[in-house]
Amino acid sequence: MASHIVGYPRMGPKRELKFALESFWDKKSSAEDLQKVAADLRSAIWKQMADAGIKYIPSNTFSYYDQVLDATSMLGAVPPRYGWDGGEIRFDTYFSMARGNASVPAMEMTKWFDTNYHFIVPELGPDVNFSYASHKAVDEYKEAKSLGVDTVPVLVGPVSYLLLSKPAKGVEKTFSLLSLLPKILPIYKEVISELKAAGASWIQFDEPTLVLDLDSHQLQAFTAAYADLESALSGLNVLIETYFADLTSEAYKTLVGLKGVTAYGLDLVRGTQTIDLVKAGFPEGKYLFAGVVDGRNIWANDLASSLSTLQQLEAIVGKDKLVVSTSSSLLHTAVDLVNETKLDDEIKSWLAFAAQKVVEVNALAKALAGQKDEAFFAANAAAQASRKSSPRVTNEAVQKAAAALKGSDHRRATNVSARLDAQQKKLNLPVLPTTTIGSFPQTLELRRVRREFKANKISEDNYIKAIKEEIKKVVDLQEELDIDVLVHGEPERNDMVEYFGEQLSGFAFTVNGWVQSYGSRCVKPPIIYGDVSRPKPMTVFWSSTAQSMTQRPMKGMLTGPVTILNWSFVRNDQPRFETCYQIALAIKDEVEDLEKAGINVIQIDEAALREGLPLRKSAHAFYLKWAVHSFRITNCGVQDTTQVCISPYSFHFSCSLLSHH
């Protein structure tokens, strides 16, 4: 039985690529130095998968910045402002598109579907002269082959590429990006021809937009594109990979009807209903790449459950046509659990990072082929049982409090106008009061103080003294500027989610659990492994300290429950909204303690509200319902005189939310 990995993290287990990139950008190292680090990472990844027994190993999933930018480079779709004059695209043009330069801005960056990864949005129009300008896909296939590893080259599919693009500046917003399909397909044919000549036997096209709400015209574009490519693809096995959600029945019908296609990759973790489409009908003689190992979270796979699913699928598609795979690229997980030295053994046994997921995929493939590793499966079953029964996971008081939320919308008792009147009498603010969002710039000296305190190199008294001095500077500056509602600047905080997660129960933190956000930017998401509660106040001391320095209102600053949820690795053993409600209850406790401490204006930051929107519009209403409900929970217990505001950092989205509140 065969195994496959959709894609793999690029940064390296110790963020080697990040540091190499930043050194190159700072002109501290050469292009050759950067290329050497990249080549070593690729070699290690391919060897790791080969040693693990993976049959279908991807290439061209490595990127110096972003895979969509790589596709833009392959197609020669460089916006004119970068002054590219043709030929193979080099680092200067590539990184100018990604990061801008002294004279021109970067291309737009936006979220990759509903993940926390960002891609560079192509800027297209009718006048773009496409040309084959980056041979990266072919070069990396040859590179792997020279190392003795036969890989599956991966390309962003032509239709998804266009659907993820935007009209360039000066191009009508109504311009049909899909009208460019006949112009880009010849480039794809050139790439395919070179891959065939290099010896490739498989090719993977990532077409994730198939999981979106597509109209008939958009679906027809897939049919037309692969019909056009059919002759060029002759002699190759072709995998169309989808991920992140269910396919609609119309999209599934389109997918399995594509000409020249050998195999279909389906996300069976987030696409919980897609399996029903497979059961209802799967084309005879085609391969199913079954994504049963989660590519977007860090929990160990329930191997027994996945094996059962695979056995059901095997009966439908045939033993030799089923391939065990990840649900998506492992780009969205941390790299290797081996590097976690501070997580305790119990929690570590519940987790699987990218390196461990590769092993899980192969273990399932071997089990399906009758070569089950009984010891590995037994250890996995024991870890699953441990997680279900651990008192660290379940807190009865939290469960009871969350259950009590049902049946109430938690609106504050009095109407908005009455509360505004009460708040105005209390705060005595002008008609248009001024304030700031919250955090002030953090100096190197401030970061040093926090770092040394965490490492026990300075005393708590000295740490508090240093932070108080920083707060006093911020308060004095705002008073000098005549700001009406002040903030304390948040000098004590490292990250708006991590700061709170470190003080909440049910959270764990990694040392090297880095995940790429964009370019060289990596984040280290907290892990929510159990029921969430607040053992003690988190911000009251600093907010009340700041309030004692001024007669003006001082805002209490909190991160909201939806943002904490969306920027964490979330437990997968209960619905996300239930975890969000638990976080909301913890924030509610903090809000009420701030009020008791004399803080009468409280800001709840929800920077990730929009980012959590599901891919399908049919799920938007439910998401908005529990997102708004979570906010109501946080402030339903305060007095009319206390003003609690939500700061979503996104005006058009905040309007839709506030209309619900």
Side-chain angles (χ1 to χ4, degrees), residues 295-445:
R296 290 187 54 178
N297 217 325
I298 41 71
W299 302 107
N301 188 271
D302 185 337
L303 296 178
S305 175
S306 291
L307 184 59
S308 175
T309 297
L310 290 165
Q311 288 167 339
Q312 295 176 49
L313 293 169
E314 183 182 58
I316 298 167
V317 305
K319 193 175 188 70
D320 61 336
K321 298 297 182 184
L322 183 62
V323 178
V324 183
S325 185
T326 52
S327 65
S328 67
S329 172
L330 298 175
L331 174 68
H332 311 290
T333 68
V335 180
D336 195 342
L337 194 56
V338 169
N339 297 314
E340 293 310 317
T341 55
K342 293 189 176 180
L343 285 174
D344 64 72
D345 289 342
E346 182 180 38
I347 289 181
K348 282 182 76 171
S349 74
W350 303 340
L351 306 178
F353 291 179
Q356 288 69 46
K357 289 175 185 291
V358 169
V359 175
E360 289 179 338
V361 166
N362 201 57
L364 287 166
K366 289 175 68 176
L368 209 54
Q371 303 169 33
K372 185 178 181 183
D373 185 333
E374 295 292 351
F376 187 74
F377 270 71
N380 176 265
Q384 297 291 324
S386 162
R387 187 177 165 209
K388 288 178 181 177
S389 61
S390 174
R392 301 171 70 179
V393 172
T394 304
N395 181 320
E396 289 187 11
V398 173
Q399 293 278 343
K400 186 176 180 180
L405 295 173
K406 296 174 182 176
S408 169
D409 67 2
H410 286 83
R411 291 180 184 270
R412 289 169 73 169
T414 52
N415 62 40
V416 174
S417 60
R419 296 202 305 270
L420 288 174
D421 287 343
Q423 290 160 13
Q424 181 57 25
K425 288 176 183 176
K426 177 80 173 181
L427 301 171
N428 192 30
L429 295 173
V431 175
L432 288 175
T434 54
T435 188
T436 72
I437 281 291
S439 57
F440 272 55
Q442 298 203 352
T443 63
L444 291 175
E445 173 63 17

Side-chain angles (χ1 to χ4, degrees), residues 167-178:
K169 186 176 181 180
V171 176
E172 291 290 334
K173 299 298 183 187
T174 56
F175 173 71
S176 172
L177 294 162
L178 289 175

Side-chain angles (χ1 to χ4, degrees), residues 21 58 74 129 138 145 170 204 209 284 325 369 414 427 567 616:
L21 282 167
M74 182 186 80
N129 293 315
V138 178
K145 194 172 183 181
Q204 175 179 319
T209 55
E284 189 175 353
S325 185
T414 52
L427 301 171
W567 285 354
R616 303 288 274 284

Side-chain angles (χ1 to χ4, degrees), residues 297 299 526-528 564-566 568-572 576 579:
N297 217 325
W299 302 107
I527 298 168
I528 305 177
I564 292 174
L565 183 87
N566 285 337
S568 301
F569 285 126
V570 183
R571 58 189 294 190
N572 60 355
R576 287 173 69 86
T579 301

Side-chain angles (χ1 to χ4, degrees), residues 12 80 121 170 215 364 486:
V121 182
D215 59 33
L364 287 166
L486 309 190

Side-chain angles (χ1 to χ4, degrees), residues 7-9 67 112 114-118 243-244 295-298 328-335 354 357 514-516 525 569:
Y8 200 83
Q67 71 270 15
W112 179 245
D114 60 347
T115 73
N116 286 323
Y117 176 78
H118 301 72
Y243 36 78
F244 297 152
R296 290 187 54 178
N297 217 325
I298 41 71
S328 67
S329 172
L330 298 175
L331 174 68
H332 311 290
T333 68
V335 180
K357 289 175 185 291
W514 298 98
V515 180
Q516 186 183 15
F569 285 126

Side-chain angles (χ1 to χ4, degrees), residues 66-381:
D66 165 54
Q67 71 270 15
V68 180
L69 182 61
D70 292 347
T72 294
S73 298
M74 182 186 80
L75 295 168
V78 181
R81 65 180 178 274
Y82 298 107
W84 176 63
D85 56 5
E88 188 81 3
I89 290 177
R90 305 298 179 187
F91 278 159
D92 56 348
T93 301
Y94 181 85
F95 288 128
S96 289
M97 289 192 288
R99 308 175 69 236
N101 57 43
S103 57
V104 292
M107 296 169 70
E108 179 188 341
M109 182 171 64
T110 195
K111 287 281 186 176
W112 179 245
F113 294 81
D114 60 347
T115 73
N116 286 323
Y117 176 78
H118 301 72
F119 74 98
I120 303 295
V121 182
E123 302 172 11
L124 305 179
D127 298 328
V128 176
N129 293 315
F130 295 99
S131 64
Y132 188 11
S134 172
H135 293 67
K136 177 178 175 294
V138 178
D139 291 343
E140 288 189 13
Y141 173 79
K142 291 178 178 179
E143 180 184 336
K145 194 172 183 181
S146 72
L147 297 170
V149 183
D150 189 24
T151 60
V152 179
V154 179
L155 301 176
V156 175
V159 183
S160 287
Y161 177 79
L162 293 177
L163 290 176
L164 293 168
S165 301
K166 70 173 188 177
K169 186 176 181 180
V171 176
E172 291 290 334
K173 299 298 183 187
T174 56
F175 173 71
S176 172
L177 294 162
L178 289 175
S179 69
L180 298 174
L181 202 52
K183 293 187 177 183
I184 68 171
L185 289 178
I187 314 298
Y188 276 87
K189 290 175 184 178
E190 288 188 68
V191 180
I192 292 164
S193 176
E194 288 193 6
L195 287 170
K196 288 169 70 173
S201 58
W202 279 84
I203 187 169
Q204 175 179 319
F205 291 99
D206 282 4
E207 294 282 13
T209 55
L210 273 167
V211 305
L212 301 178
D213 294 311
L214 301 179
D215 59 33
S216 58
H217 172 67
Q218 292 167 322
L219 289 173
Q220 176 59 33
F222 289 93
T223 302
Y226 288 93
D228 193 315
L229 292 173
E230 183 180 14
S231 60
L233 291 167
S234 178
L236 279 174
N237 291 296
V238 180
L239 165 63
I240 305 297
E241 186 67 50
T242 69
Y243 36 78
F244 297 152
D246 281 304
L247 293 169
T248 64
S249 58
E250 295 83 1
Y252 180 77
K253 183 179 179 181
T254 298
L255 174 65
V256 298
L258 296 178
K259 292 185 177 180
V261 174
T262 315
Y264 314 103
L266 303 177
D267 183 340
L268 301 180
V269 176
R270 292 195 171 227
T272 54
Q273 298 171 34
T274 298
I275 195 168
D276 294 330
L277 296 172
V278 175
K279 290 177 179 179
F282 191 80
E284 189 175 353
K286 302 293 186 180
Y287 288 83
L288 171 60
F289 282 56
V292 293
V293 173
D294 194 348
R296 290 187 54 178
N297 217 325
I298 41 71
W299 302 107
N301 188 271
D302 185 337
L303 296 178
S305 175
S306 291
L307 184 59
S308 175
T309 297
L310 290 165
Q311 288 167 339
Q312 295 176 49
L313 293 169
E314 183 182 58
I316 298 167
V317 305
K319 193 175 188 70
D320 61 336
K321 298 297 182 184
L322 183 62
V323 178
V324 183
S325 185
T326 52
S327 65
S328 67
S329 172
L330 298 175
L331 174 68
H332 311 290
T333 68
V335 180
D336 195 342
L337 194 56
V338 169
N339 297 314
E340 293 310 317
T341 55
K342 293 189 176 180
L343 285 174
D344 64 72
D345 289 342
E346 182 180 38
I347 289 181
K348 282 182 76 171
S349 74
W350 303 340
L351 306 178
F353 291 179
Q356 288 69 46
K357 289 175 185 291
V358 169
V359 175
E360 289 179 338
V361 166
N362 201 57
L364 287 166
K366 289 175 68 176
L368 209 54
Q371 303 169 33
K372 185 178 181 183
D373 185 333
E374 295 292 351
F376 187 74
F377 270 71
N380 176 265

